[in-house]
Amino acid sequence: MRVPLIAGNWKMNSTVSEARELVSKMLRELDEIDGVDKVICPPFISLAAVYGLIKGSSIKLGAQNLYFTERGAYTGEISPLMVADLCEFVIIGHSERRQYFNETDEIVNKKVPAALKVGLKPILCIGERLEENEAGLTEKVVTSQLRSALAGIAYINGIIIAYEPVWAIGTGKAATSKQANQTISLIRRNISQLYDKEIAQNLRILYGGSVTADNATEFMQQSEIDGALVGGASLKADQFLSIVKQTSEVVK
Ligand code: PGA
């Protein structure tokens, strides 16, 4: 049985005081929901404050990125060691990083083992762009991104994959639950070929892209979907709580 996971990716939203406020609003209720791993991923600058607030609760912390070197003269970067000090999870290869910060498959392939090495659980994001989807290239693009990101990595214990079609992110146009389930099933088949069947069966694969309180249950009911990476809706306490509650209901 794969424990579902809901991760809130706050992206570049919330000051430190706003982050405190948002966490305080949902802390108690979120803490009490069982059967689901609950992860929040605030901006780096708020991680320490949020860590202090959620300490001792069942809520887990994630970062939105990291650099692949442990220390050194890399002004402005955050290393895996620093992230691992506070966080259990780290988002890697989000499409916004690929699109706006030139993050290539090669860079993603360096970040994944760097995170695993310090005991972090990477949430590896992959997904096709609109023009690729329209050209019928979804399977090809997703397979290629997955295989490049994992090239040369022998052990992927703890890794989580998020299938996030780029055209569904922040657009209000989610994929259909069936489409998402199909692509996630393809990802699982690839993992089975690259590693083995057991690893593939135990691996959690999330869907991301315009998940809200209105469509969460539908996604969670799909056999291959093990949770969600939530952007916009994770910035509203009631929405995020509702998504997590719906997920908990589905697994009961
Ligand atoms: P969204 O973002 O839920 O706002 O579409 C998802 C993501 O980027 O992880």
Side-chain angles (χ1 to χ4, degrees):
M1 255 293 274
R2 300 184 293 262
V3 177
L5 184 151
I6 303 291
N9 173 13
W10 294 7
K11 310 193 180 185
M12 200 180 71
N13 296 293
S14 81
T15 59
V16 179
S17 51
E18 286 165 349
R20 278 204 192 96
E21 202 179 310
L22 178 54
V23 171
S24 306
K25 260 192 211 160
M26 52 187 179
L27 181 61
R28 193 152 20 103
E29 250 186 286
L30 197 55
D31 183 29
E32 284 168 0
I33 307 171
D34 53 14
V36 186
D37 276 350
K38 302 149 286 190
V39 183
I40 48 181
C41 307
F44 281 128
I45 200 157
S46 296
L47 285 174
V50 172
Y51 177 85
L53 288 173
I54 64 174
K55 214 170 153 191
S57 79
S58 59
I59 304 162
K60 299 170 181 195
L61 197 56
Q64 298 174 14
N65 183 28
L66 46 54
Y67 191 55
F68 47 76
T69 298
E70 289 190 359
R71 59 184 85 240
Y74 301 98
T75 303
E77 290 298 316
I78 307 283
S79 95
L81 284 174
M82 299 168 192
V83 174
D85 222 12
L86 296 178
C87 300
E88 186 175 332
F89 296 85
V90 60
I91 298 170
I92 294 179
H94 191 279
S95 64
E96 285 149 16
R97 296 221 50 89
R98 296 179 192 254
Q99 188 179 350
Y100 305 126
F101 304 99
N102 302 322
E103 208 161 292
T104 59
D105 283 338
E106 290 71 31
I107 295 174
V108 171
N109 180 240
K110 287 185 182 170
K111 290 186 172 186
V112 172
L116 288 168
K117 187 176 166 216
V118 296
L120 283 163
K121 296 176 179 142
I123 302 176
L124 168 65
C125 302
I126 54 176
E128 82 287 359
R129 288 176 293 147
L130 181 62
E131 57 271 31
E132 293 164 336
N133 181 280
E134 286 173 348
L137 295 172
T138 299
E139 295 203 352
K140 197 167 164 227
V141 171
V142 167
T143 303
S144 151
Q145 281 181 358
L146 179 73
R147 290 184 174 247
S148 308
L150 298 180
I153 305 174
Y155 299 100
I156 54 164
N157 272 357
I159 205 171
I160 290 140
I161 293 174
Y163 167 56
E164 297 208 302
V166 179
W167 47 270
I169 296 179
T171 58
K173 271 194 227 151
T176 66
S177 53
K178 241 190 174 155
Q179 279 171 342
N181 199 54
Q182 256 175 20
T183 309
I184 288 178
S185 160
L186 165 88
I187 294 171
R188 210 178 292 288
R189 282 202 301 281
N190 269 280
I191 294 290
S192 184
Q193 287 163 9
L194 287 170
Y195 298 93
D196 64 42
K197 216 172 162 187
E198 199 185 329
I199 291 175
Q201 274 317 311
N202 292 330
L203 177 85
R204 290 186 286 185
I205 311 181
L206 318 179
Y207 166 74
S210 297
V211 173
T212 65
D214 294 332
N215 59 22
T217 293
E218 205 190 313
F219 283 109
M220 297 317 142
Q221 281 170 338
Q222 298 293 320
S223 59
E224 295 295 322
I225 302 182
D226 305 317
L229 184 54
V230 184
S234 72
L235 293 167
K236 297 184 192 106
D238 56 338
Q239 281 265 328
F240 192 65
L241 280 166
S242 169
I243 293 168
V244 176
K245 278 184 199 156
Q246 290 179 44
T247 307
S248 163
E249 286 304 314
V250 171
V251 290
K252 266 181 193 157

